[in-house]
């Protein structure tokens, strides 16, 4: 499916599924006795979030936020807007923020700073992908699916101009598609 637009497939569907299962086992152990508020950042996290929570054996609640920093291009603007806020308060909750990718860290460092003001009991970050080479903010994720090199990737929720989110694998887009 749309494989002709990919330069390379970094992680197959099977590899992604297996890694999410391992992450979920670790999170389930770490949150024993707790009831985390799992908050997905829309839209990129929706597939990862759905796969992850179905493997978590915890009495959790689910919520969503949406923020934007990218517009339709591939270069971060450095500006973050909260477009949709959580439906439930997070005061006193153990928040697990779920995002597709940690790149420069602009989006997540601003969101984490905002959520901390609401006095959660704890806040941790879980990302499917981590691109550490591009980090400009002092932030790291507590749970990382895969570290990736500095390439523009799509699939498993990640888009280019709202396309390719549904791909069941993580692929590097051919540069001619976005240049
Ligand atoms: P920052 O730079 O704020 O960016 O950490 C996080 C957001 O940028 C998007 N992003 C990507 N989206 N392929 C994508 O489809 C990528 O390789 C990529 N790198 C960053 C993503 O929306 C993330 O939430
Ligand atoms: Mg995103």
């Amino acid at each position: 499916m749309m494989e002709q637009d990919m330069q390379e497939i970094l992680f197959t569907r099977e590899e992604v599924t297996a890694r999410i299962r391992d992450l979920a086992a670790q999170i389930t152990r770490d949150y024993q006795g707790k009831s985390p508020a799992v908050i997905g950042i829309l839209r990129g996290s929706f597939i990862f979030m759905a796969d992850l929570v179905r493997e978590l054996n915890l009495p959790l609640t689910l919520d969503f936020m949406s923020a934007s920093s990218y517009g339709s291009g591939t270069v971060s603007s450095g500006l973050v807007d909260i477009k949709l806020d959580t439906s439930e308060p997070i005061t006193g909750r153990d928040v697990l923020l779920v995002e597709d990718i940690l790149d420069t860290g602009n989006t997540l460092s601003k969101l984490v700073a905002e959520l901390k003001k609401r006095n959660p009991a704890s806040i941790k970050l879980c990302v499917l992908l981590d691109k550490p080479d591009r980090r400009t903010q002092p932030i790291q994720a507590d749970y990382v699916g895969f570290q990736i090199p500095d390439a523009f990737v799509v699939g498993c929720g990640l888009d280019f101009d709202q396309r390719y989110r549904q791909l069941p694998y993580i692929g590097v887009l051919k540069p001619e598609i976005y240049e």
Side-chain angles (χ1 to χ4, degrees):
M1 205 203 320
M2 294 192 273
E3 278 191 43
Q4 70 279 6
D5 292 354
M6 300 302 138
Q7 183 169 69
E8 189 188 351
I9 297 199
L10 287 184
F11 305 106
T12 64
R13 176 182 210 147
E14 291 70 28
E15 288 168 332
V16 171
T17 302
R19 182 68 190 117
I20 293 175
R21 193 167 294 147
D22 287 348
L23 271 184
Q26 190 190 343
I27 293 169
T28 297
R29 283 194 301 274
D30 291 353
Y31 283 83
Q32 274 313 299
K34 294 183 173 162
S35 168
V38 182
I39 301 178
I41 316 293
L42 293 173
R43 282 169 268 181
S45 72
F46 84 109
I47 289 180
F48 176 42
M49 174 99 158
D51 286 347
L52 182 74
V53 294
R54 284 179 293 172
E55 300 288 338
L56 290 178
N57 190 10
L58 293 166
L60 54 86
T61 63
L62 287 179
D63 212 332
F64 294 96
M65 295 182 81
S66 134
S68 71
S69 67
Y70 261 63
S72 62
T74 60
V75 179
S76 181
S77 66
L79 297 170
V80 175
D81 263 353
I82 293 185
K83 303 224 152 160
L84 171 79
D85 210 335
T86 58
S87 300
E88 307 291 332
I90 57 160
T91 307
R93 300 293 309 276
D94 292 297
V95 171
L96 183 65
L97 258 190
V98 178
E99 175 61 308
D100 52 0
I101 187 166
L102 179 55
D103 186 15
T104 65
N106 282 326
T107 314
L108 282 167
S109 57
K110 288 186 181 134
L111 277 181
V112 168
E114 173 57 34
L115 294 180
K116 276 185 177 162
K117 291 184 201 160
R118 306 177 187 180
N119 297 313
S122 68
I123 178 158
K124 284 191 178 185
L125 186 54
C126 177
V127 296
L128 179 59
L129 304 175
D130 182 18
K131 251 190 223 178
D133 295 349
R134 291 203 359 123
R135 198 85 81 253
T136 59
Q137 302 294 322
I139 181 170
Q140 37 182 44
D142 301 279
Y143 304 99
V144 174
F146 304 99
Q147 284 204 347
I148 61 166
D150 181 11
F152 195 76
V153 295
V154 294
C156 297
L158 292 122
D159 71 305
F160 170 64
D161 217 359
Q162 301 311 327
R163 294 165 62 215
Y164 307 103
R165 285 194 201 276
Q166 76 278 22
L167 300 182
Y169 49 81
I170 303 285
V172 177
L173 210 49
K174 284 183 180 158
E176 63 255 39
I177 305 278
Y178 57 82
E179 269 163 7

